[in-house]
Amino acid sequence: VGGRAVTMRPTREEGVVIRAITREQAKKEALALFQRGEPLLYSDIARELQIDLTTAVEICEELIAEGQVKEAP
């Protein structure tokens, strides 16, 4: 049967999934992301780890204070 191809698009934006994870585990995973050597934004970390942005910022500030990562100039 002939016809046109149709591209299906979601009618609404998908929500962000926040996972249940301990703060210490999130901190370890964030550190592993930094060890890749790529520049990261707080939003990148939040998205990769599936944690809220506030927690991502707090964890990064802790890692900086502990000397485990450095802030970009």
Side-chain angles (χ1 to χ4, degrees):
V1 176
R4 314 184 281 180
V6 177
T7 302
M8 300 298 287
R9 293 193 178 130
T11 56
R12 59 190 160 101
E13 195 172 318
E14 290 184 30
V16 175
V17 176
I18 303 294
R19 68 182 172 135
I21 184 174
T22 66
R23 187 178 190 84
E24 282 306 307
Q25 184 61 35
K27 199 170 176 179
K28 287 178 188 176
E29 291 182 21
L31 186 56
L33 290 176
F34 282 110
Q35 290 172 341
R36 292 181 188 170
E38 302 168 3
L40 294 166
L41 301 173
Y42 294 129
S43 57
D44 296 330
I45 295 162
R47 185 177 52 256
E48 287 283 329
L49 301 184
Q50 296 178 317
I51 60 176
D52 66 86
L53 184 59
T54 301
T55 302
V57 171
E58 292 170 354
I59 286 171
C60 289
E61 288 174 349
E62 290 173 19
L63 290 170
I64 292 166
E66 294 168 1
Q68 296 191 57
V69 297
K70 293 182 182 178
E71 255 183 305

